Amino acid sequence: MAVERSGGGDPLKTLALLWRRPPEPKPVGRKPKVSVDQIVTAAIAVADREGLGAMSMARVAQELAVGTMSLYTHVPGKAELIDLMADAVLRERDLTPEGSWRERIKHYADRTRAVYRAHPWMRDVSMVRPPLGPGLMDGQEFVLAALADSGLEPRHVTVAHVAVEGFVHGAAASEVDDQQLARVTGESGDSWWGARQVFWDDYFDVERYPTMTNLWNAGAYETQGTLADNMRSSFDYGLDRLLDGIEGGLR
Amino acid sequence: MAVERSGGGDPLKTLALLWRRPPEPKPVGRKPKVSVDQIVTAAIAVADREGLGAMSMARVAQELAVGTMSLYTHVPGKAELIDLMADAVLRERDLTPEGSWRERIKHYADRTRAVYRAHPWMRDVSMVRPPLGPGLMDGQEFVLAALADSGLEPRHVTVAHVAVEGFVHGAAASEVDDQQLARVTGESGDSWWGARQVFWDDYFDVERYPTMTNLWNAGAYETQGTLADNMRSSFDYGLDRLLDGIEGGLR
DNA sequence: CCCATTTCCGTAGGCCATACGGAAAGAATA
DNA sequence: TATTCTTTCCGTATGGCCTACGGAAATGGG
């Protein structure tokens, strides 16, 4: 299971591709069999179905019925292709600025999570040094506008933004990690924990871990629904606490 | 730049290795040249110096002056080795339960960040489906005990724990991402942004991004110190807000 | 038709993880 | 001392991936 980092490759080439316009037809030369858009779309489809680890240049070429090496005429490398993919799916969010600043941030969080759920391979793409494409930038403008409307000072807006952004992407990634790993290993999250029953039986030490033991006995680990449901409720809880804390700092 | 996911490999074998005792000498058979501890230590040293992507089985074997394939006698595979590495560095935290519940969580956060700073490759290891080793379990017990002491109900302790854990690891990873990428690409974070100056010049649209433009003009993006300093202040801000929110929920 | 341009893509090279099985090392036993 | 059994070592081999390079193919303009 390999994971790729966005922001790799040549920044200038990546930028040009991220902000590309529809290509003007060239007066001379061979006509292209495929476009950059088609390559990105095919790569996303492969990653959606098989995971990012299985998305090789050869696999994408196969999807497009072209030769592997021909892809390099259009994208400089795999790293750049991943940047393009990440930005393309972020563009699916369709953020609509309605309601209070908190509602807007929650809307952003929900749409971001939806993207991770639709494309679980996003978990495997670092969003810390992200591609500065339209999908990402539009999302950041959206959150910044919401935070600016909360009454925070400019300096605190940017700091809060980093905290919110980090939380949302991190939590969304955690939430789908279960789903993504299940796909790759052919094992559901619940059965993975079951397979780890051996840990509880053979290695867990109640004297070493008294709090966990007490919490277990108090029913604190009882799940309602699936693991993903619980990740979701933790996500909501954490975001609410974070927004409460930001809001508390306004008074 | 490849990134690995912990929790890979055979769970039972991994558990046995995570909770291993010093090996009893065997009555017959060839004496081992290296131990599991030595392999893990060498792998950590390689990852610290060259990044996780450069840490191949061949590279670790070279570090130990043994043949690559001999490593597989001791660890089942690379995935398991990475689990062992992650747990080993988490054990470096040396958590001491002193002070209020908030102080203890902050202590945990600081120690966790220190681990990520000392071993930036931890950024590249998913901690969502983690190895259930002593390093990790001890840390979780520590946070759970702090949260239990805050007065939260058991069910809320576990939910808050997931939020805190996710925030701390995510933020720590973000903070060192800058550092890690700089090492890999031989480029500092500041110069990376500099190289992206082209974005601001050629692609940024003030009409599309009015809030960003206003914030920029208001000096909200002016940095004090390095990018890592700013990540740190965002980390502190976010954690404070999260803990404020948790504390607010107690009243 | 010829030339220049653009795209296609096979070949080749380098790197990685790891299955397999013969060889080497060491202790116990006859 | 020699033999046997066990354990470890590790070279060879296999399959997979990314991408540099350069000849071939396709296309339009003069």
Side-chain angles (χ1 to χ4, degrees):
Chain A
M1 166 88 297
V3 183
E4 305 293 340
R5 175 181 305 276
S6 77
D10 178 354
L12 296 184
K13 288 184 185 172
T14 308
L15 275 174
L17 285 168
L18 285 164
W19 296 91
R20 69 192 179 276
R21 300 291 179 83
E24 306 285 344
K26 293 186 178 175
V28 296
R30 183 171 176 162
K31 291 283 162 60
K33 274 191 179 176
V34 292
S35 65
V36 174
D37 283 349
Q38 285 172 314
I39 294 170
V40 173
T41 301
I44 290 170
V46 170
D48 283 350
R49 276 204 302 274
E50 299 161 42
L52 196 63
M55 192 220 71
S56 63
M57 300 305 273
R59 184 70 194 81
V60 176
Q62 186 182 25
E63 193 78 9
L64 292 164
V66 296
T68 306
M69 299 308 298
S70 62
L71 298 186
Y72 291 89
T73 310
H74 305 275
V75 295
K78 188 177 176 182
E80 290 89 350
L81 176 56
I82 285 164
D83 279 352
L84 296 172
M85 290 162 64
D87 198 72
V89 298
L90 289 179
R91 257 183 283 183
E92 293 175 10
R93 284 185 288 191
D94 277 334
L95 304 164
T96 54
E98 293 168 3
S100 69
W101 70 272
R102 282 189 68 139
E103 282 165 343
R104 275 184 274 164
I105 289 183
K106 290 220 171 171
H107 173 63
Y108 173 81
D110 285 342
R111 285 300 172 85
T112 303
R113 277 165 52 212
V115 162
Y116 276 77
R117 280 204 306 272
H119 309 286
W121 52 266
M122 277 293 283
R123 158 64 190 96
D124 303 326
V125 179
S126 162
M127 295 306 294
V128 176
R129 189 68 67 82
L132 299 180
L136 180 93
M137 297 302 294
D138 290 353
Q140 296 207 345
E141 173 71 13
F142 186 88
V143 178
L144 286 168
L147 288 171
D149 281 1
S150 73
L152 277 176
E153 293 176 23
R155 178 62 193 156
H156 288 162
V157 168
T158 53
V159 175
H161 175 228
V162 172
V164 169
E165 199 74 34
F167 184 88
V168 169
H169 278 277
S174 298
E175 191 177 324
V176 303
D177 201 56
D178 178 32
Q179 183 183 343
Q180 172 75 342
L181 193 61
R183 167 180 285 161
V184 169
T185 64
E187 213 175 270
S188 73
D190 291 338
S191 65
W192 181 84
W193 286 105
R196 299 234 160 177
Q197 189 65 37
V198 172
F199 168 73
W200 304 112
D201 294 340
D202 295 349
Y203 297 102
F204 186 80
D205 180 358
V206 293
E207 292 186 6
R208 192 170 179 170
Y209 303 122
T211 309
M212 284 195 207
T213 305
N214 292 339
L215 288 167
W216 177 271
N217 291 333
Y221 287 100
E222 284 166 12
T223 57
Q224 312 276 13
T226 64
L227 261 179
D229 290 339
N230 282 286
M231 295 301 280
R232 168 137 188 199
S233 73
S234 297
F235 180 102
D236 289 340
Y237 176 91
L239 186 59
D240 279 332
R241 299 286 78 74
L242 182 57
L243 296 183
D244 284 351
I246 290 169
E247 193 163 21
L250 290 177
R251 307 191 194 108
Chain B
M1 166 88 293
V3 181
E4 305 293 344
R5 176 182 303 277
S6 78
D10 179 356
L12 296 184
K13 288 186 186 171
T14 308
L15 275 175
L17 285 168
L18 285 164
W19 297 91
R20 70 192 177 275
R21 301 290 179 82
E24 306 285 344
K26 294 187 180 175
V28 297
R30 184 172 177 163
K31 291 287 162 58
K33 275 191 179 174
V34 292
S35 65
V36 174
D37 282 349
Q38 285 172 314
I39 294 170
V40 173
T41 301
I44 290 171
V46 171
D48 284 350
R49 275 201 307 270
E50 298 161 43
L52 196 63
M55 191 220 72
S56 63
M57 299 304 274
R59 184 71 195 79
V60 176
Q62 186 181 26
E63 192 78 11
L64 291 165
V66 297
T68 306
M69 299 309 296
S70 62
L71 298 187
Y72 290 90
T73 310
H74 306 275
V75 295
K78 188 176 177 182
E80 289 89 348
L81 177 56
I82 285 164
D83 280 351
L84 296 171
M85 290 163 65
D87 197 72
V89 299
L90 289 180
R91 257 183 283 183
E92 293 175 12
R93 283 184 289 190
D94 275 335
L95 304 165
T96 54
E98 292 168 5
S100 69
W101 72 272
R102 283 190 66 140
E103 283 165 343
R104 275 185 272 162
I105 289 184
K106 290 223 171 167
H107 173 65
Y108 173 82
D110 285 342
R111 286 299 171 84
T112 303
R113 277 165 53 215
V115 163
Y116 276 76
R117 279 203 305 271
H119 309 287
W121 52 267
M122 276 293 282
R123 157 69 193 91
D124 302 326
V125 180
S126 161
M127 295 306 294
V128 177
R129 189 69 69 80
L132 299 180
L136 180 94
M137 297 302 295
D138 289 353
Q140 297 207 344
E141 172 72 13
F142 186 87
V143 178
L144 286 168
L147 289 171
D149 280 2
S150 72
L152 278 176
E153 292 175 26
R155 178 61 193 156
H156 287 162
V157 168
T158 54
V159 174
H161 175 228
V162 173
V164 169
E165 198 75 33
F167 183 88
V168 169
H169 277 279
S174 299
E175 189 177 326
V176 303
D177 201 56
D178 177 33
Q179 182 182 344
Q180 172 76 341
L181 193 61
R183 165 180 286 162
V184 169
T185 64
E187 215 176 87
S188 73
D190 291 339
S191 65
W192 182 82
W193 286 107
R196 298 229 161 182
Q197 190 62 37
V198 173
F199 169 71
W200 304 113
D201 294 339
D202 295 350
Y203 299 103
F204 186 80
D205 180 358
V206 293
E207 292 187 4
R208 189 167 179 169
Y209 304 122
T211 308
M212 283 194 208
T213 304
N214 292 338
L215 288 168
W216 178 271
N217 290 333
Y221 286 100
E222 283 166 11
T223 57
Q224 312 276 9
T226 64
L227 262 180
D229 289 342
N230 283 284
M231 297 300 281
R232 164 122 191 212
S233 74
S234 297
F235 180 104
D236 288 341
Y237 176 91
L239 185 60
D240 279 335
R241 300 283 79 73
L242 181 57
L243 295 184
D244 284 350
I246 290 169
E247 194 163 19
L250 290 177
R251 305 192 197 108

